[in-house]
Amino acid sequence: MAKQMIKLFKAIEFAKEAHKGQKRKGTREPYYFHCLRVCYILQNIGIEDEELLCAAILHDIIEDTACKHDCVKREFGKRVADLVQDVTNQENKKPVLNTKEGTLIKLADMLDNLKNNTNKRYIGKKKELILEILAKYAQTKNK
């Protein structure tokens, strides 16, 4: 448990530093607060896998900062880097979501994004995407 906490604290500090100066869209809130909430959502549903939780904290690193896959891999290992890559939007396209873990991170990310948004068009689009992701997850689960 203590080792897990050390890795999670490392991920928190890493995300805080990487997202330094970034604010959540339309707020003055430091961006990394969102990253922490995504991790918290997964913990609340019973996820204890330290690498999955670290990837949740780091989920926007590749997309929104100078740190890319090799940087995450060097600091946190291949699995964490691959999970972060799995949820990263590719050139303004939807993320690939090759893994159930990546799907869980993306759904937690979207849930947090919806919590603080009142734009009905945005919420409608995200709802459609969440349903699409859930359908894809159901397909992979049945294989």
Side-chain angles (χ1 to χ4, degrees), residues 114 117-129:
L114 287 175
N117 198 309
T118 57
N119 181 320
K120 288 182 181 182
R121 185 169 175 231
Y122 174 85
I123 291 170
K125 280 183 162 185
K126 290 299 175 183
K127 251 185 183 173
E128 287 175 25
L129 186 55

Side-chain angles (χ1 to χ4, degrees), residues 46-138:
I47 302 296
E48 296 178 353
D49 178 332
E50 71 179 340
E51 291 180 329
L52 177 56
L53 295 173
C54 283
I57 293 168
L58 302 170
H59 76 276
D60 279 332
I61 290 280
I62 293 173
E63 190 174 337
D64 294 340
T65 75
C67 182
K68 300 305 175 202
H69 184 275
D70 60 329
C71 172
V72 177
K73 182 179 175 183
R74 185 174 50 252
E75 295 293 326
F76 296 94
K78 182 178 179 349
R79 181 168 177 246
V80 172
D82 289 349
L83 286 170
V84 174
Q85 185 68 53
D86 193 36
V87 298
T88 298
N89 292 337
Q90 307 293 322
E91 298 173 22
N92 295 323
K93 296 178 185 171
K94 295 176 190 169
V96 179
L97 300 178
N98 288 316
T99 64
K100 72 177 183 177
E101 293 91 349
T103 302
L104 289 171
I105 294 168
K106 192 62 181 177
L107 289 171
D109 174 36
M110 294 170 78
L111 178 61
D112 185 65
N113 287 339
L114 287 175
K115 280 183 179 179
N116 299 318
N117 198 309
T118 57
N119 181 320
K120 288 182 181 182
R121 185 169 175 231
Y122 174 85
I123 291 170
K125 280 183 162 185
K126 290 299 175 183
K127 251 185 183 173
E128 287 175 25
L129 186 55
I130 288 170
L131 291 171
E132 185 181 317
I133 291 169
L134 285 170
K136 182 176 180 177
Y137 178 71

Side-chain angles (χ1 to χ4, degrees), residues 21-58:
Q22 294 178 353
K23 305 286 183 201
R24 284 288 281 172
K25 198 180 287 184
T27 74
R28 295 190 322 201
E29 175 184 90
Y31 190 84
Y32 80 97
F33 285 10
H34 161 69
C35 303
L36 298 178
R37 287 192 303 266
V38 170
C39 178
Y40 181 73
I41 289 167
L42 293 178
Q43 286 179 312
N44 270 352
I45 63 167
I47 302 296
E48 296 178 353
D49 178 332
E50 71 179 340
E51 291 180 329
L52 177 56
L53 295 173
C54 283
I57 293 168
L58 302 170

